[in-house]
Amino acid sequence: GHNAPPRGWKYEPNSEEPKYGEKDMVEVQKFAKVAKGLPYWFAGSYGRKEKLSEVLEGGGNGVQVGTLFALSDESGMDPS
């Protein structure tokens, strides 16, 4: 998930979950320019093959995949 609040602090109807919009989406090419050669990884909705390719092609170093590993059988987390 996101580690920054959404711009505008909107919430989904009948929920306490924040609502992210177009302003919250990252343009990989623009981000690469701002990073100025420093290594960076994307997370959240970038834990898919297509998004990994987008990040790598844009100059990134990879993606962070936390939820997938945390919810795997091998994680040792109690499913309850």
Side-chain angles (χ1 to χ4, degrees):
H2 259 272
N3 64 353
R7 296 181 189 189
W9 287 94
K10 297 176 184 174
Y11 288 88
E12 292 290 343
N14 303 316
S15 173
E16 294 183 18
E17 291 296 316
K19 182 177 181 179
Y20 295 95
E22 286 297 315
K23 287 185 176 181
D24 300 300
M25 300 302 129
V26 178
E27 293 183 43
V28 177
Q29 299 296 335
K30 286 185 179 180
F31 190 88
K33 288 180 183 178
V34 174
K36 297 182 180 180
L38 293 172
Y40 62 90
W41 297 258
F42 278 48
S45 63
Y46 285 83
R48 298 190 317 270
K49 181 178 161 182
E50 310 82 46
K51 289 296 193 175
L52 172 60
S53 295
E54 180 183 344
V55 170
L56 294 175
E57 289 169 11
N61 294 77
V63 296
Q64 181 177 332
V65 187
T67 305
L68 180 64
F69 293 126
L71 298 178
S72 70
D73 291 336
E74 294 83 359
S75 75
M77 281 184 66
D78 183 359
S80 58

